Amino acid sequence: MMSALSHDRPTPSSSAGTSSTSPSTSTPTSPLLGETPPVVVPTSSSKPPTAKNLSPHAASPQVAARPPPAPKAERARPTIRASKAAITLTPTAVERLRNLLKSPTPQMIRIGVRNKGCAGLSYHLEYVEKAAKFDEVVEQDGVKVLIDSKALFSIIGSEMDWKEDGLSAKFAFKNPNIKDACGCGESFTVGS
């Protein structure tokens, strides 16, 4: 019985009766399976090898998968540095906010900006129980003030103060971003 892999080579029993001196009857001999190292040919396509790409003949060159990419070196994570607060509070404003927090219903103040007045924008203060999802929280001397996310660019860099006189008591703002304000001081315009 003849093996499937040995059909290219003449067996010793079949070649014993024939003469090997005739050049026309000699067959080229191929090495047996396992005598030569396998040949691996890298593929130029980006697809991984599949059963369809592989040759059924063991002696034919086969397609190998590309090696995995080298791992990238981890970058050092940046350290968080303290940054300047979006708004600063004067000592009188801090004291007034502390008194509001000591009241029977402690509340925080959210600072916002509304479209109102001659110049276009006006400060809007409201009492809230807790911060909204995108509010900026500014804490100074143990007092928290919330800034509405939509008003942040109009207010950034401002100073909040508490002013009392014979006719009124209110929070006043010194905003370096103001380019124009109305005569009464209720509304302002922020330059771009």
Side-chain angles (χ1 to χ4, degrees):
M1 183 166 160
M2 187 186 263
S3 151
L5 296 175
S6 64
H7 70 290
D8 290 341
R9 291 186 102 177
T11 59
S13 61
S14 64
S15 65
T18 62
S19 123
S20 62
T21 59
S22 168
S24 62
T25 59
S26 68
T27 59
T29 60
S30 62
L32 289 177
L33 185 63
E35 290 181 0
T36 61
V39 177
V40 178
V41 178
T43 179
S44 62
S45 67
S46 62
K47 295 185 287 185
T50 62
K52 291 180 181 179
N53 322 46
L54 296 177
S55 171
H57 304 293
S60 68
Q62 300 296 321
V63 178
R66 293 206 173 273
K72 294 182 179 177
E74 280 191 37
R75 289 187 345 193
R77 292 188 176 218
T79 56
I80 298 175
R81 289 182 238 137
S83 60
K84 187 175 179 181
I87 192 168
T88 56
L89 307 171
T90 63
T92 54
V94 169
E95 187 60 36
R96 177 63 182 159
L97 291 169
R98 274 202 189 113
N99 291 338
L100 287 173
L101 290 173
K102 290 178 186 175
S103 67
T105 56
Q107 296 174 330
M108 291 187 283
I109 289 187
R110 177 185 292 138
I111 305 169
V113 172
R114 298 274 166 96
N115 291 332
K116 181 175 144 185
C118 310
L121 298 174
S122 177
Y123 294 107
H124 177 74
L125 303 176
E126 61 182 332
Y127 294 111
V128 293
E129 298 291 327
K130 62 179 183 173
K133 186 174 183 180
F134 296 110
D135 284 350
E136 178 79 19
V137 179
V138 176
E139 186 171 355
Q140 180 179 327
D141 299 328
V143 175
K144 289 184 183 178
V145 175
L146 308 175
I147 300 175
D148 187 9
S149 61
K150 293 177 247 175
L152 188 60
F153 290 112
S154 302
I155 293 177
I156 197 161
S158 297
E159 180 184 67
M160 182 176 174
D161 193 13
W162 176 253
K163 299 266 185 186
E164 288 186 34
D165 56 21
L167 297 175
S168 66
K170 63 180 181 178
F171 284 107
F173 294 89
K174 291 179 186 170
N175 191 340
N177 304 316
I178 293 178
K179 298 297 178 198
D180 188 23
C182 69
C184 64
E186 287 295 318
S187 62
F188 60 93
T189 303
V190 176
S192 53

